[in-house]
Amino acid sequence: TGNARVDDDISFLTHIVIISIPSVLSPSPQNITMKFTIVAALVASASAWTAPKRFELPASVKAAVTGAAVTAGVAVSPAIAGDVGAGEQVFNANCAACHAGGQNVIMPEKTLEKEALEQYLAGGRNEKAIITQVTNGKNAMPAFGGRLSDEDISNVASYVIATSEAGWDE
């Protein structure tokens, strides 16, 4: 393509697809959902190359996300600094290839479930620790500090905290 950033992204996404396939071959409902989520994440990531860097969600979408969160029993807490709805969009476009449904296709024990975050995340289960991990990467996880804005990373952290509290499968 002539664009090093796009070439790097394509390489990264191809790597994720190749290493994800064996872990999602079983026909369980969760793995079928994970397959569709991985495909959606790849499509969203590819779309992001031509989409504007920032866009504003319509008020009706924000209201629907908040309403769905309340209906599902997800607390919309003022202690969480980021925008959970925006974080979900960033997560689906950038994180779901490896972390669909809060799972981890690379290191299955290190999920985004509440207990695993408390056990494995350096600094424990809190927004600051997630922001650090997403920004800097660690082990097999790449750094997103150069790919995502600070606001996007904060929003993802808020989404992960809120969803791990409510439960990823709910």
Side-chain angles (χ1 to χ4, degrees):
T1 63
N3 181 330
R5 166 75 198 281
V6 172
D7 290 343
D8 288 346
D9 287 348
I10 291 171
S11 273
F12 172 73
L13 291 172
T14 302
H15 174 74
I16 295 304
V17 169
I18 290 168
I19 61 178
S20 299
I21 290 171
S23 64
V24 294
L25 289 179
S26 74
S28 73
Q30 181 180 10
N31 284 340
I32 291 169
T33 301
M34 187 180 298
K35 287 178 191 179
F36 286 117
T37 305
I38 290 169
V39 169
L42 292 173
V43 169
S45 293
S47 299
W49 292 326
T50 58
K53 175 79 174 138
R54 296 284 307 156
F55 63 95
E56 183 63 30
L57 282 176
S60 60
V61 173
K62 288 181 182 179
V65 169
T66 302
V70 170
T71 301
V74 177
V76 182
S77 169
I80 296 177
D83 180 332
V84 174
E88 181 177 17
Q89 288 187 337
V90 175
F91 181 91
N92 289 337
N94 296 278
C95 312
C98 291
H99 294 291
Q103 299 305 300
N104 186 329
V105 298
I106 310 298
M107 302 177 85
E109 71 281 4
K110 294 185 177 181
T111 68
L112 301 180
E113 301 286 346
K114 184 176 182 178
E115 297 76 19
L117 290 173
E118 290 169 352
Q119 180 178 358
Y120 295 112
L121 188 63
R125 184 184 158 268
N126 63 73
E127 234 178 295
K128 183 178 178 192
I130 292 171
I131 288 169
T132 299
Q133 176 97 11
V134 172
T135 301
N136 301 321
K138 185 174 180 184
N139 298 326
M141 181 173 165
F144 285 86
R147 296 173 182 246
L148 299 175
S149 69
D150 291 345
E151 180 181 8
D152 285 343
I153 292 172
S154 177
N155 291 342
V156 165
S158 296
Y159 170 71
V160 169
I161 291 290
T163 309
S164 69
E165 184 64 37
W168 286 89
D169 296 330
E170 297 173 22

